[in-house]
Amino acid sequence: MPFLLAPAGSPECLRAAIAAGADEVYLGGDAFNARINAKNFGNKELIAAGETCKINNVRLFITLNTLVADRDFAALREYMVFLEQSVQPDAYIVQDIGLAVWLKKNFPDIVLHASTQMQQHSSGAVSLLKALGFSRIVLAREMSDKNIKTVCQNDIECEVFVHGALCVSMSGGCLMSSMIGKRSGNRGECAQPCRLKYSGKSEYPLSLKDLCLAEHIPELTAMGVTSFKIEGRMKSPEYVYTVTEIYRRLIDENRSATYTENARLRAVFSRNGFTDGYFTGKIGPSMFGIRSESDKKLAKTIKTEKLVLSPREEPFKKTAPLPLILPHKNTEMIIPPAHQKGFVLRFESRSPGIGVIKKYYELAARIDLPVWDLERLDGINKYSEKISVVLPRTIYDSDSGEVQRLLGFAKAAGITQVTLSNVAYLGICGDFYTHGDYSLNVTNTETLSLLESLSLSSVMISPEISPRFLSFSPLAKEYIVYGRLPLMQTENCIQKNIGNCRRDNCGGTLTDRTNTDFPVRREYKHRNIIYNSVPLYLADKINALKKSDVGLYTLLFIDEYENEREFDKLITLCTQKAPAPFALTRGYYK
Ligand SMILES: [Zn+2]
């Protein structure tokens, strides 16, 4: 029988979760926690929570699910010593792979869970995660029933979200709040710009309804899911009690929710109903909705009984911690391709014509082209030496056959380099040289060292940190010096919600309430990427970046090449490291 995992954003919610029959609870302290705006737990409250969970035979997981910088490790050590001595949680939920390695080196007996913020959604992730000491994978919420089932067939515990709020961007891959308001979702400070108004057919084209899989409990149980997770560390004790109590019954009786149970779930909190669109594969505008006045009125009708804590009958068997097995560096693989210094020309979404590639070929150290658009380019084999194909940001198990075919085409054209957005894809890259993309979220030296031992040829530093905060590593470092940063990657077509989808040619803008335009482009499989309204520009800082050990300077284009004269000017500006005459952002550069 699957376990039921409930959220506890406060001590009151923890009592509600236990009283309603949760097997496992997750909560965070005051720091390194993706819900920094929840009430959370101070150290005294953490000690009390540890005791309450022990007495009631409930497992306790602590969230350490943010990206960390080198300067955070001293405080982390102190926090971990406290947690291990005084709270003794059953597991830690971790986003940052560098942090995971550091934890296993320093606290080898702890149990690790890979947070959904780590964007893991494929079988390819399993062996690497296990080598890094992860016992459990919290699957991405965008996965279909079929893809969940496939990953569950691997030898690792799989945790699946069954209820609660959804992010419109792939979790861990969202820079919107960070780049427009300096409140990083990856640091626990998300300001939820996706819940705001934008112009178009739907006024709230980014606001997803909450997830509810209460109709799919027997299917999920049959798939071998280890634990059913409820989202909601920002929600009330009434919410935690009501939702946990209903799912407790559904699991115990292995059935779908009744009409009354569904009505109760909806009454306690919904955004104009629920969605199971990712799970069933019915992706589209019906998945979106906002919280209406009638939703709020309904919530007032929910009263919960007096909370009674009765301990679960038997204590859990402890999960045995997995050891850290760092991969042996394959030295043949990392002999870097010829050009590891200079400008990377990165073309997002669609490749430019072959003429553009020819014109700037000499100038570039590397040219990044989307792998899904390569077959369109006649004569690409003449330029194969400097081309690296960019993999889709998301490759589910159901996509991997098609992506392997595209890689086969690239290889036949003489291309030897791949830019990868997720370490789980290393397995399908075969003998290609690999470059790590911005979405590997490299914000500390531990992550750099890990990627070096995984034999990557170069790695892009996360735009959420200035490279000078990372220590020296022999791995070639890359940083974006021009370009509209990708803010969100969405499974849904956002243009469809606005009423502007142009299918194969899909793309346009998203306009917010201050009349700012964000370009939107179609990615692989009609997923969308939303880009920042203004470009990041640091080409005039290249000499300083060099001192921080950055050797590759990325110019990221969405369609700038369409105006040839302007594009020429832009390239000249960047290569001359000149100050920019247009509106720009400096991002997190310091
Ligand atoms: Zn579209």
Side-chain angles (χ1 to χ4, degrees), residues 493 495-496 501-503 506 526 528:
C493 175
Q495 292 298 312
K496 208 171 188 176
C501 176
R502 285 180 283 147
R503 294 194 181 80
C506 188
H526 211 146
N528 276 188

Side-chain angles (χ1 to χ4, degrees), residues 327-331 333-334 445-459 472-476:
H328 288 287
K329 193 157 61 174
N330 179 349
T331 40
M333 281 292 295
I334 59 151
T445 308
E446 282 287 352
T447 305
L448 269 181
S449 308
L450 173 68
L451 296 174
E452 193 205 338
S453 65
L454 290 172
S455 305
L456 269 71
S457 297
S458 74
V459 164
F472 177 82
S473 116
L475 199 54

